Each structure stands twice: as structure tokens, then as C-alpha cells.
Amino acid sequence: LNHNMQENKEKITTYLAMLKTMGAVEGLPNSVELSEVPPREWEKPFSCQINADPAKPLWLKARELRYEVGPNARMGKAILTSIVRDRGLEKEYLPFVKAIADWILSMKTDDVAVHRGYRVALIPEGEKIKEVRKPLEGISAEHVCGAYTFLRYFAELTGEKKYAEAARGFTVWI
């Protein structure tokens, strides 16, 4: 995300289109690209068509299959502030933000920190591609602080205590 709010809202809307289409509940990939080229077979699970124009289809493809807590926390908070709160779209988008929050909770190391995340290696096995998840080593301030601010804000908006408790726990590490 950058300082141009209109561009940020477009990026967030694009990510949400990807999230809805792919049904992702494990956070969002760190990096995506827009392409007019349809996905190759191995790219299909990580791509979605984001417009309905058959003459000029536009695809969103994950470029880097790394799922990290910090970027997902920032995206979740951006969705909350730019779309949910400012536009009143809670019913449409809150379930996706909750999915990000729950994924971040699943990445907790204990009550005071979170794993950075993991990357996905795609290994060819005959005609199919096997996904192998490799944890990203270490714990960093970016991820713990990001998880803290996002979960705290999410808890304030939803009133759900488990997110507030997780955020409070992260203050021990911070």
C-alpha cells in the first residue's frame, strides 16, 4: 500500500476479489500481478479472473507464494479502515477480515508472539503440482506489532474478546 488513498482502495478491492474468488482463508499472498494472459495449469489454484469481459479478460495471479503475518495484518487493517468503517460494508467484507484475523491467531507461537508465516514451494509430481509449506524462521517486530495493531482494532470493531486477548498478549513480546 502507498500514500495514494484512491489507489489503495483499488488495490484492496482487487485483493478482496481474489479472496472471494479463491476462497482463501489462510491469508493473502504477499505479491500479486495483473495479467491479460490466462494462467498456466499450475498457476490456476493461485489465480482468479477479476473481470467478466470475455473479450479482454484480466487475471490476478499470485507472484510470490509467501504468506506472512505482517503484510496480512496491514491488509486486514487497511480493509477495516478504508472499506468497512468508511463505506459501511461490514456485512460484505467483515467475514474476509475475520478469516485473516483467525489465520493470524493460528500463527501464534504461544500467548506472546506469532510465527512470521510460511512460503509455499510448488513441486512437480507427474501431471500434478504438490504444495509444500516451509515455515519462515524467526519472530520479528514487524509481524508481532502488525498482528497486535490489527487484532486490537478488529476486536474494537467486533467486540470479540479472543482478538483483544491475543492483542494484549502480544504486548508482552513488544
Side-chain angles (χ1 to χ4, degrees):
L1 298 175
N2 59 44
H3 298 291
N4 179 331
M5 284 309 292
Q6 181 57 39
E7 193 175 310
N8 285 345
K9 286 180 181 179
E10 289 169 10
K11 285 181 181 179
I12 291 166
T13 302
T14 301
Y15 271 112
L16 287 169
M18 181 179 186
L19 188 61
K20 279 183 169 179
T21 304
M22 296 172 75
V25 293
E26 296 184 1
L28 298 166
N30 277 11
S31 177
V32 296
E33 67 178 322
L34 290 174
S35 174
E36 294 176 352
V37 178
R40 294 174 288 210
E41 193 60 37
W42 69 270
E43 292 176 310
K44 285 181 181 176
F46 311 103
S47 305
C48 68
Q49 188 172 346
I50 61 169
N51 67 347
D53 183 358
K56 279 191 106 179
L58 190 58
W59 295 87
L60 190 65
K61 300 177 183 180
R63 285 193 306 185
E64 180 183 19
L65 298 176
R66 240 173 50 177
Y67 298 81
E68 293 187 49
V69 169
N72 275 283
R74 287 191 300 277
M75 182 57 67
K77 189 152 192 273
I79 292 168
L80 287 175
T81 56
S82 297
I83 292 184
V84 175
R85 186 191 66 198
D86 296 346
R87 296 187 189 176
L89 297 174
E90 289 87 355
K91 287 183 180 171
E92 186 174 356
Y93 292 109
L94 209 52
F96 300 107
V97 179
K98 186 178 184 328
I100 294 171
D102 289 338
W103 178 78
I104 289 173
L105 288 183
S106 78
M107 298 302 290
K108 287 174 53 177
T109 58
D110 48 32
D111 287 338
V112 299
V114 290
H115 293 285
R116 286 181 47 215
Y118 58 86
R119 66 183 172 84
V120 176
L122 301 175
I123 316 252
E125 283 191 348
E127 295 292 314
K128 296 186 177 191
I129 299 291
K130 178 182 175 185
E131 259 186 60
V132 177
R133 294 181 181 184
K134 300 186 180 229
L136 298 170
E137 297 297 321
I139 296 170
S140 76
E142 172 196 358
H143 303 282
V144 178
C145 291
Y148 164 76
T149 57
F150 167 59
L151 292 177
R152 187 176 136 224
Y153 188 55
F154 186 69
E156 287 172 11
L157 286 176
T158 64
E160 292 192 47
K161 291 182 182 186
K162 70 179 180 179
Y163 304 108
E165 290 168 3
R168 262 192 306 281
F170 295 150
T171 61
V172 172
W173 189 90
I174 295 169

